Amino acid sequence: MDKYDKLREQVIKGSRDVQKLSKQSIFSVHRSELQNAHQQLDKATEHALPLLAIVEQQPTLRKGAFSNSLEEWAEAALCCEWLEHKRIMTMPQMERMKISVNEYVGALSDFTGEICRLAVVAASHRQAESVREVHDCVIVIAAAMMQLNVSSKFNKKMEAVNNTLRKMEDIMYAVSYTHLTLPTKRIV
């Protein structure tokens, strides 16, 4: 039991580092600092892999802090992939980290909120195409999640995706309205 408690503490403490580095990676994405985002995500991966080895030996340690940190890691990976390639990273592409379905779905849900923040910045710069790309992405994720038979744990996540979709529709309206009302030619 003493050995298990020590491993549990190690996983909990290490999970904090994984989660913090993953959050920092997401913040770097918000600032369009892709190189920093990748470096922080790589550091998070370095911290997570030894913990993953422990969790494989003691599966009961996955729930809680470690699972939450992997969800945050997956969200950061999704954000980096979006900023760099404008696509959604699939669960098999995260195979190295052994992301579970629940962690992936949770990350996808939170990812919609993160790219919505990118859309707000794009809208402020009148980048209608970037806003449209994010809107289309959120629609695809929302539609896919509606087809899932989600447990009560994901009801809040689904609500968050639907709220993000509503925000994106408002942003799309504002961008299209602004685009129509701004003169395209100089009148004077």
Side-chain angles (χ1 to χ4, degrees):
M1 188 66 159
D2 192 38
K3 181 182 177 186
Y4 179 84
D5 287 339
K6 286 180 182 175
L7 289 174
R8 182 176 174 274
E9 281 301 311
Q10 185 179 349
V11 168
I12 290 170
K13 287 179 182 176
S15 295
R16 286 188 207 123
D17 294 333
V18 174
Q19 193 158 18
K20 182 179 178 182
L21 287 162
S22 297
K23 282 184 185 295
Q24 288 172 347
S25 176
I26 293 166
F27 296 150
S28 291
V29 167
H30 290 168
R31 294 186 303 272
S32 296
E33 297 172 355
L34 191 58
Q35 185 176 356
N36 285 344
H38 279 298
Q39 288 172 350
Q40 290 155 333
L41 190 59
D42 290 345
K43 285 181 188 174
T45 304
E46 287 174 24
H47 285 273
L49 288 174
L51 301 177
L52 192 56
I54 293 170
V55 168
E56 286 176 340
Q57 299 300 314
Q58 298 288 337
T60 58
L61 294 175
R62 186 174 190 110
K63 287 187 180 182
F66 186 65
S67 181
N68 293 340
S69 71
L70 285 182
E71 184 177 314
E72 196 71 30
W73 181 93
E75 182 183 346
L78 287 164
C79 288
C80 287
E81 185 73 11
W82 179 263
L83 187 61
E84 191 169 9
H85 301 290
K86 296 288 188 268
R87 63 181 179 219
I88 301 169
M89 191 175 202
T90 64
M91 200 172 135
Q93 290 172 313
M94 299 180 188
E95 183 179 351
R96 179 178 184 204
M97 298 302 286
K98 299 186 175 142
I99 302 296
S100 73
V101 171
N102 288 349
E103 292 156 356
Y104 183 73
V105 171
L108 265 180
S109 168
D110 295 343
F111 164 72
T112 63
E114 301 303 341
I115 61 172
C116 182
R117 287 175 184 81
L118 296 176
V120 169
V121 172
S124 72
H125 290 90
R126 308 280 194 264
Q127 297 170 344
E129 187 56 34
S130 294
V131 174
R132 186 173 285 96
E133 289 171 346
V134 171
H135 181 251
D136 291 348
C137 179
V138 173
I139 287 173
V140 168
I141 291 171
M145 287 184 74
M146 280 187 232
Q147 294 179 8
L148 297 175
N149 184 10
V150 295
S151 65
S152 61
K153 176 186 177 189
F154 288 114
N155 285 342
K156 286 185 180 180
K157 295 285 188 183
M158 192 62 214
E159 255 179 64
V161 171
N162 288 332
N163 286 337
T164 300
L165 184 56
R166 279 190 288 280
K167 288 177 192 173
M168 284 306 307
E169 288 167 353
D170 290 344
I171 294 167
M172 284 293 294
Y173 175 76
V175 167
S176 65
Y177 181 77
T178 303
H179 182 71
L180 291 174
T181 58
L182 288 174
T184 55
K185 281 200 242 183
R186 198 172 183 143
I187 297 172
V188 178

